[in-house]
Amino acid sequence: MAQERIGFIGLGIMGQPMCLNLLKAGFSLTVYNRTPARMQPVLQAGAVAAASAKQAAERSSIVITMVTDTPDVEQVLFGHDGVMQGLKANSVVIDMSTISPSATQRMAAQIKEKGSQMLDAPVSGGDVGAKAGTLAIMVGGEAQTLERCRPVLEAMGKTITHVGGHGMGQTVKLCNQILVSVTNLAVCEAVRFAQRSGVDPRVMIEAVKNGAAGSWQLSNLGPRMAAGDFAPGFMIDLQQKDLRLALQSAFEMQLPSPGLSLVHQLFSACQARGEGREGTQALIKSLLALTQKPAKEN
Amino acid sequence: MAQERIGFIGLGIMGQPMCLNLLKAGFSLTVYNRTPARMQPVLQAGAVAAASAKQAAERSSIVITMVTDTPDVEQVLFGHDGVMQGLKANSVVIDMSTISPSATQRMAAQIKEKGSQMLDAPVSGGDVGAKAGTLAIMVGGEAQTLERCRPVLEAMGKTITHVGGHGMGQTVKLCNQILVSVTNLAVCEAVRFAQRSGVDPRVMIEAVKNGAAGSWQLSNLGPRMAAGDFAPGFMIDLQQKDLRLALQSAFEMQLPSPGLSLVHQLFSACQARGEGREGTQALIKSLLALTQKPAKEN
């Protein structure tokens, strides 16, 4: 199992714990991060540092990328000193970032031309799931490539679902984000309706959560809205990045998504008020703000 | 327990099975329905027919109303030959219809002036829950009135939740409908996004339903949307009536509810296309219709 040599690029809040789980599973691991200091905890746990994405690829048979956005993945793979300059034939690039499905398809084709394979394997479960090794991983690409990489993915996640061809892991991740955010709006409006009517929203949530109105968002974010607790589980700035990707894809497909569009606008208002680093439950503040007199023009 | 004599007004698709459960629990039951034929199954099971709402009230200590809308309840209670003309002092009126919270508060005050009490006790669970006696009942009104009526409600429902004062049962029911319908829109947009991207929506649903994207609507209506099954669980025409009540209440409270408003408009489009008697999952057809060329002006 540990015969594959893993390269890992992007040691952020998700990448670091994912690397620690790969080391725990016995994989040989070479890491690269643009800001070298962030590699330290993983190097102390037994990983080897590379000087570039290219060098990480030279030393690996499977290269994992976990960065922020589409241009970051493109830069890491195809840029100067990038993965493609070091990648050996018959390797696999697994992109676990959340990025554009159509850009993913273009990258997968370019990688295939060079004699290697790509999987898109975005995750859900947040940093809590990354630490616990319980991420849900949605995989797009060829089935035999997934089978080769399955032990690697199993070191980081609990449910690994093959959802289709290249880009379709990203598509399902964006479906996940559409569901999460429009359902969040449903919870905001119900909590506000209860509050304004003089009903304790916690009583309302308990009364309806086990029926057709029930959702993870209601059970988990509803009580935080009611308590005025806006600490981040998942941050608005990150949610907005994913919703922008979903809207861009919808635009490319000429697919109207009025609910998604609305919630993106209301989150934009959160960001304008400086709440981008609060949890997504702070969406409710955009409904509150609508009925308060603005202090000044700006 | 069977010392209370029950009057029941409104023997529709919900009222009939609720009456059968009251009889099964041993209550003495007098029924009235504007269309007499609809009383037959309940009379055969042991209920007594009244000639008017007034007469049903004269023979009862607890009068239950289960009719369509706010004006129907007002007519049955305060109209000619209505409940208030026959109601004895120290009786209880339990309105189990879904109607306006503010109108409910006004009616409760009028009933109190006459020496009786009102509970608003709308239900969720549909005709399936009504038959099985497993309705969720959301009760507004005084706690001691609820305690008096609890055995009666327990004959019809499984969870009886006291959510606050007069009208607040209705408020919680409308919160339930806001949650149900905006979450439904989330599911529609995710299913369309998957379909248009070439991902099987059933695979998408399985991949995400156990995480933060999960909801009753996703697990139950998503697969029906994917299969093109638009048979009614809950009918669009009935959903629209409840959303109109929610929007009216929001308007009275000057509470912006943009998601609710949007989904109400998209359901209106379903109704314009003649889909009012289909299930609420047919909401997805409004997204489909948006991208198809209209056949003619009308």
Side-chain angles (χ1 to χ4, degrees):
Chain A
M1 165 167 157
Q3 71 210 33
E4 301 277 7
R5 298 176 57 86
I6 315 295
F8 201 111
I9 297 162
L11 301 196
I13 194 169
M14 296 294 289
Q16 278 193 21
M18 290 162 76
C19 281
L20 294 175
N21 282 325
L22 286 169
L23 290 167
K24 206 181 294 174
F27 286 103
S28 152
L29 187 64
T30 303
V31 298
Y32 172 71
N33 197 64
R34 205 168 40 183
T35 309
R38 307 203 68 165
M39 292 193 279
Q40 278 312 317
V42 177
L43 299 180
Q44 278 163 21
V48 173
S52 65
K54 174 187 173 187
Q55 196 179 64
E58 284 169 349
R59 297 182 187 168
S60 308
S61 54
I62 293 178
V63 180
I64 298 171
T65 51
M66 189 60 173
V67 294
T68 304
D69 208 344
T70 311
D72 306 299
V73 177
E74 286 169 337
Q75 178 63 28
V76 158
L77 295 184
F78 301 101
H80 177 70
D81 272 347
V83 166
M84 294 313 288
Q85 293 181 7
L87 198 68
K88 291 170 289 189
N90 200 31
S91 296
V92 182
V93 174
I94 310 178
D95 178 35
M96 302 187 76
S97 326
T98 296
I99 67 163
S100 158
S102 57
T104 296
Q105 288 170 340
R106 288 192 296 273
M107 290 187 238
Q110 286 180 268
I111 290 169
K112 196 164 190 174
E113 271 175 27
K114 302 287 182 188
S116 285
Q117 288 291 332
M118 186 178 186
L119 294 176
D120 48 303
V123 305
S124 73
D127 58 323
V128 174
K131 281 173 194 150
T134 57
L135 294 168
I137 308 180
M138 295 148 268
V139 186
E142 292 181 16
Q144 64 187 31
T145 310
L146 169 56
E147 288 321 305
R148 174 177 169 188
C149 297
R150 191 177 285 277
V152 179
L153 297 174
E154 282 175 344
M156 297 178 285
K158 201 171 69 173
T159 42
I160 291 106
T161 311
H162 187 216
V163 296
H166 294 300
M168 295 195 180
Q170 298 296 353
T171 292
V172 171
K173 174 67 188 282
L174 296 182
C175 287
N176 187 80
Q177 301 303 69
I178 293 168
L179 286 162
V180 159
S181 57
V182 181
T183 305
N184 184 351
L185 180 61
V187 178
C188 292
E189 294 196 10
V191 167
R192 285 297 297 137
F193 192 93
Q195 286 175 330
R196 194 75 158 234
S197 304
V199 172
D200 183 337
R202 284 161 290 207
V203 172
M204 179 276 288
I205 292 166
E206 285 304 311
V208 306
K209 73 179 187 184
N210 295 319
S215 65
W216 189 100
Q217 298 286 310
L218 179 64
S219 296
N220 289 274
L221 297 191
R224 294 187 213 174
M225 291 177 197
D229 170 9
F230 300 113
F234 190 67
M235 245 185 249
I236 286 173
D237 283 342
L238 296 176
Q239 180 74 284
Q240 278 293 72
K241 180 220 122 192
D242 291 354
L243 296 190
R244 176 177 49 71
L245 289 170
L247 283 165
Q248 282 175 346
S249 284
F251 178 77
E252 291 168 14
M253 297 189 286
Q254 298 189 310
L255 177 72
S257 295
L260 167 62
S261 199
L262 171 60
V263 77
H264 182 69
Q265 293 295 321
L266 294 173
F267 273 131
S268 290
C270 291
Q271 292 176 306
R273 295 189 306 271
E275 297 156 11
R277 299 180 67 82
E278 297 189 3
T280 52
Q281 70 274 24
L283 178 62
I284 197 172
K285 294 195 206 177
S286 281
L287 299 180
L288 281 162
L290 277 171
T291 52
Q292 286 169 13
K293 283 186 197 292
K296 58 178 174 77
E297 300 274 329
N298 61 1
Chain B
M1 165 168 157
Q3 73 210 34
E4 301 276 8
R5 298 176 58 88
I6 315 296
F8 201 110
I9 297 162
L11 301 196
I13 194 168
M14 296 295 288
Q16 278 193 20
M18 290 162 77
C19 281
L20 294 175
N21 282 324
L22 286 168
L23 290 167
K24 207 182 294 174
F27 286 103
S28 152
L29 187 64
T30 303
V31 298
Y32 172 71
N33 196 65
R34 204 168 38 184
T35 309
R38 306 203 68 167
M39 293 193 277
Q40 279 310 318
V42 178
L43 298 181
Q44 279 163 21
V48 173
S52 65
K54 175 188 172 189
Q55 195 178 65
E58 283 168 349
R59 298 181 187 168
S60 308
S61 55
I62 294 178
V63 181
I64 298 171
T65 51
M66 190 60 175
V67 293
T68 305
D69 208 343
T70 311
D72 306 300
V73 177
E74 286 169 337
Q75 178 64 29
V76 158
L77 295 185
F78 301 101
H80 176 69
D81 273 346
V83 167
M84 294 312 288
Q85 293 181 9
L87 199 68
K88 290 170 289 188
N90 198 30
S91 295
V92 183
V93 174
I94 311 178
D95 178 36
M96 303 187 75
S97 326
T98 297
I99 68 164
S100 157
S102 56
T104 295
Q105 289 170 341
R106 288 191 296 273
M107 290 187 238
Q110 286 181 266
I111 290 168
K112 196 165 191 175
E113 270 176 28
K114 301 285 181 188
S116 285
Q117 289 290 333
M118 187 179 185
L119 294 176
D120 48 302
V123 305
S124 72
D127 57 322
V128 175
K131 280 173 195 150
T134 57
L135 294 167
I137 307 179
M138 296 147 267
V139 185
E142 292 180 15
Q144 64 186 35
T145 310
L146 170 56
E147 288 321 306
R148 173 177 169 188
C149 297
R150 191 177 285 276
V152 179
L153 296 174
E154 282 175 343
M156 297 178 284
K158 201 172 69 175
T159 43
I160 290 105
T161 312
H162 187 217
V163 296
H166 295 300
M168 295 196 178
Q170 298 296 353
T171 293
V172 171
K173 174 67 189 282
L174 296 182
C175 288
N176 186 80
Q177 301 304 68
I178 293 168
L179 287 162
V180 159
S181 56
V182 181
T183 305
N184 184 350
L185 180 60
V187 177
C188 292
E189 294 196 10
V191 167
R192 285 298 297 139
F193 192 93
Q195 287 175 330
R196 194 76 159 233
S197 304
V199 171
D200 183 337
R202 284 162 289 210
V203 172
M204 179 275 287
I205 292 165
E206 286 303 311
V208 306
K209 73 178 187 184
N210 294 319
S215 65
W216 188 100
Q217 297 287 310
L218 179 64
S219 296
N220 289 275
L221 296 192
R224 292 186 215 176
M225 291 175 197
D229 170 9
F230 300 113
F234 191 66
M235 245 184 248
I236 285 173
D237 283 342
L238 296 175
Q239 180 75 282
Q240 278 293 72
K241 179 221 122 191
D242 291 355
L243 297 189
R244 176 177 49 71
L245 288 169
L247 282 165
Q248 282 175 348
S249 284
F251 178 77
E252 290 168 13
M253 298 188 287
Q254 299 188 309
L255 177 72
S257 295
L260 168 62
S261 199
L262 170 60
V263 76
H264 182 69
Q265 293 296 321
L266 294 173
F267 273 131
S268 290
C270 291
Q271 292 177 306
R273 295 189 307 271
E275 297 155 12
R277 299 180 68 82
E278 297 188 4
T280 53
Q281 69 273 24
L283 178 62
I284 196 172
K285 294 194 206 177
S286 281
L287 300 180
L288 281 161
L290 278 170
T291 51
Q292 288 170 12
K293 282 186 198 293
K296 59 179 174 76
E297 300 275 330
N298 59 4

